[in-house]
């Protein structure tokens, strides 16, 4: 087995690390100040505009977009290091386009949708969102109530969606709804492309989340969508959605590795400098174990991420591995960040350091795209159903 990353992927990882160091890290002070004032932890428009320009000039756009759409067509393995680097800063920035929705579109678009949606999105010209969860249906899509019926050549959608990132600014939302109330998640769930200005698509409210993040709630009231905007086949929305979820879980794991590594590095730098009761923190067994265990768990998570990415790229069934990775990486990062906050004492509790934003965001990730308990259930079920 060769554990060495291909040279071109190492070069890409190093390039993104330089982008993070030179362009994103200097923005952290502003992010922390805005968060402390209750304005959220997002980058402002001017910062994003400049980052878009710089990252595009560096050739960092459309990394995994199809080559025929102007992208580089890179595999999941190439993106682990990219997302680890991006996860190491609280100045959150996504290299256009966002991979999960991109790969869902790649799986399901027809020729008309390819021209109207996939290709502009692949070039980074549009922003997308996804609407899956509902007030009464989160981790279990079988409880979805949003329904859509055929009316002539159109589809009419009614329901409510929640926890949607970027719903207010997205040019279009990939929206999941029930087309067959009997089959539901087993052949009765479909995906639709809904433009922001579609009548009946109403952004109800912005919801402040931990970590200075925001999501949105959307109400669909007789939202009429042209027939050609059914994404994929009627009743077959679950499969493409799983492609999207798998990609996001891979991203989350890499972000968690990056955040955990940053927290560990901060602890390693600080512990030898801080003296309490006549002894450096680095000489205390508790701190030594935090560092040693943290390094071992990050290493394990990184190997799990590359293993899962390689299996995804080679077409293997990774349902078990990706659930293992998602809950292990998020809980690993939560533990290491919490230990770092403990190591820094009162300073670790302030909003002057990035640790609290990492902690909030990782806590969100333990719920997003399936809570840890559901992923443990999936792993156990997959292992025991074969016995």
């Amino acid at each position: 087995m060769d554990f060495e990353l291909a040279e071109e992927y190492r070069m890409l990882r190093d390039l993104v690390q330089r982008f993070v160091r030179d362009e994103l890290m200097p923005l952290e002070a502003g992010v922390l100040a805005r968060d402390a004032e209750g304005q959220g932890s997002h980058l402002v428009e001017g910062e994003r505009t400049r980052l878009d320009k710089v990252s595009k000039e560096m050739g960092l756009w459309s990394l995994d977009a199809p080559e025929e759409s102007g992208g580089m067509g890179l595999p999941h393995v190439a993106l682990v290091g990219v997302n680890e680097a991006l996860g190491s800063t609280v100045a959150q920035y996504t290299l256009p386009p966002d991979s999960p929705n991109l790969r869902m579109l790649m799986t399901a678009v027809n020729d008309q949708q390819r021209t109207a949606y996939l290709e502009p999105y692949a070039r980074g010209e549009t922003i997308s969102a996804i609407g899956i969860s509902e007030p009464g249906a989160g981790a279990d899509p079988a409880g979805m109530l949003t329904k859509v019926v055929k009316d002539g050549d159109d589809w009419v959608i009614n329901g409510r969606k929640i926890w949607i990132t970027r719903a207010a600014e997205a040019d279009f939302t990939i929206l999941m709804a029930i087309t067959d109330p009997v089959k539901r998640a087993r052949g009765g769930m479909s995906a639709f492309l809904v433009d922001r200005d579609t009548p009946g698509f109403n952004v109800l409210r912005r919801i402040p989340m931990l970590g200075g993040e925001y999501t949105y709630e959307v109400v669909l009231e007789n939202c009429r969508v042209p027939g050609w905007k059914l994404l994929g086949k009627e009743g077959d929305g679950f499969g493409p959605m799983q492609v999207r979820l798998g990609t996001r879980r891979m991203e989350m794991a890499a972000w968690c590795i990056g955040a955990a590594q940053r927290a560990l590095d901060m602890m390693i730098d600080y512990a030898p400098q801080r003296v309490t009761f006549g002894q450096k923190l680095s000489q205390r067994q508790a701190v030594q174990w935090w560092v040693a265990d943290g390094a071992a768990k990050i290493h394990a998570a990184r190997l799990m991420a590359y293993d899962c990415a390689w299996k995804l790229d080679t077409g293997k069934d990774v349902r078990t591995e990706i659930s293992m990775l998602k809950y292990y990486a998020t809980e690993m990062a939560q533990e290491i960040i919490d230990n770092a906050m403990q190591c820094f004492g009162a300073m670790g509790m302030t909003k002057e350091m990035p640790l609290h934003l990492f902690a909030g965001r990782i806590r969100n990730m333990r719920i997003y795209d399936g809570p840890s308990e559901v992923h443990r259930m999936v792993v156990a079920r997959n292992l025991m159903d074969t016995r």
Side-chain angles (χ1 to χ4, degrees):
M1 297 178 68
D2 185 0
F3 287 92
E4 190 67 34
L5 198 61
E7 183 180 3
E8 61 181 306
Y9 303 158
R10 293 200 306 272
M11 292 174 63
L12 174 62
R13 178 197 61 197
D14 294 345
L15 182 62
V16 176
Q17 287 176 343
R18 179 159 63 86
F19 172 74
V20 170
R21 183 191 66 233
D22 296 345
E23 305 298 336
L24 295 184
M25 290 293 189
L27 301 178
E28 281 197 340
V31 168
L32 290 169
R34 286 190 290 273
D35 176 72
E37 294 171 0
Q39 299 174 12
S41 61
H42 56 279
L43 298 170
V44 298
E45 184 177 352
E47 292 170 339
R48 285 195 171 278
T49 299
R50 183 180 179 281
L51 291 172
D52 285 347
K53 181 177 183 294
V54 173
S55 59
K56 190 171 187 178
E57 290 174 350
M58 292 176 69
L60 296 177
W61 282 30
S62 307
L63 295 178
D64 55 343
E67 293 183 29
E68 60 269 23
S69 299
M72 297 174 64
L74 293 178
H76 288 281
V77 166
L79 298 181
V80 173
V82 169
N83 287 310
E84 181 179 336
L86 293 172
S88 67
T89 174
V90 295
Q92 281 190 308
Y93 177 74
T94 299
L95 294 169
D98 194 24
S99 294
N101 290 352
L102 170 73
R103 290 184 178 265
M104 184 175 181
L105 290 172
M106 288 167 57
T107 300
V109 293
N110 58 32
D111 290 340
Q112 186 175 5
Q113 294 164 351
R114 183 182 305 279
T115 301
Y117 288 96
L118 175 58
E119 291 181 355
Y121 188 60
R123 294 191 295 265
E125 297 170 359
T126 57
I127 299 171
S128 74
I130 182 121
I132 302 174
S133 295
E134 300 180 4
D140 182 9
M144 189 178 295
L145 297 177
T146 296
K147 294 181 181 178
V148 56
V149 296
K150 196 75 179 289
D151 184 20
D153 294 331
D154 298 339
W155 298 94
V156 179
I157 309 173
N158 282 281
R160 187 181 294 256
K161 294 291 180 180
I162 200 168
W163 318 128
I164 305 177
T165 304
R166 296 187 300 274
E169 59 265 29
D171 297 287
F172 67 94
T173 296
I174 303 173
L175 195 130
M176 308 302 299
I178 298 297
T179 45
D180 188 328
V182 176
K183 294 180 179 179
R184 304 189 67 77
R186 298 182 179 274
M189 182 186 297
S190 303
F192 297 88
L193 298 164
V194 184
D195 297 335
R196 179 174 54 192
D197 59 358
T198 303
F201 181 84
N202 305 306
V203 177
L204 184 65
R205 63 185 175 121
R206 186 173 77 160
I207 307 169
M209 310 292 290
L210 293 176
E213 298 178 338
Y214 295 95
T215 61
Y216 294 87
E217 183 175 7
V218 170
V219 175
L220 300 124
E221 298 176 313
N222 295 321
C223 181
R224 184 173 292 271
V225 178
W228 68 272
K229 295 188 179 183
L230 168 69
L231 181 62
K233 298 178 180 178
E234 181 181 350
D236 191 29
F238 193 79
M241 184 182 75
Q242 289 302 309
V243 171
R244 188 258 174 206
L245 290 173
T247 305
R248 179 64 84 201
R249 290 160 183 163
M250 281 295 316
E251 274 190 340
M252 283 187 178
W255 293 338
C256 286
I257 294 166
Q261 186 67 62
R262 173 84 180 279
L264 180 65
D265 291 342
M266 291 173 65
M267 196 164 22
I268 290 171
D269 289 341
Y270 177 72
Q273 302 176 37
R274 176 66 168 167
V275 176
T276 62
F277 302 100
Q279 191 174 34
K280 294 179 179 179
L281 288 183
S282 58
Q283 296 172 320
R284 306 260 180 206
Q285 186 181 65
V287 177
Q288 291 174 347
W289 284 15
W290 286 343
V291 169
D293 290 347
K297 290 178 180 180
I298 290 172
H299 183 58
R302 188 176 284 124
L303 291 176
M304 288 174 69
Y306 278 109
D307 173 74
C308 193
W310 175 77
K311 289 177 178 176
L312 265 176
D313 291 332
T314 53
K316 299 183 184 298
D317 183 350
V318 295
R319 285 175 293 181
T320 298
E321 287 91 336
I322 212 158
S323 282
M324 288 178 177
L325 174 63
K326 202 276 182 175
Y327 81 73
Y328 181 83
T330 53
E331 296 192 4
M332 172 276 298
Q334 189 86 68
E335 177 186 342
I336 292 172
I337 292 165
D338 190 71
N339 287 340
M341 296 174 81
Q342 195 75 4
C343 181
F344 276 88
M347 182 58 70
M349 303 300 103
T350 70
K351 290 194 172 185
E352 296 179 0
M353 298 188 72
L355 291 172
H356 76 283
L357 284 181
F358 282 130
R361 289 173 183 172
I362 300 301
R363 188 64 187 85
N364 289 341
M365 290 184 207
R366 288 177 59 201
I367 295 292
Y368 290 167
D369 291 82
S372 297
E373 293 74 18
V374 169
H375 285 290
R376 284 186 169 93
M377 178 184 72
V378 169
V379 172
R381 183 189 63 202
N382 290 347
L383 293 176
M384 290 190 286
D385 280 357
T386 61
R387 297 298 176 91

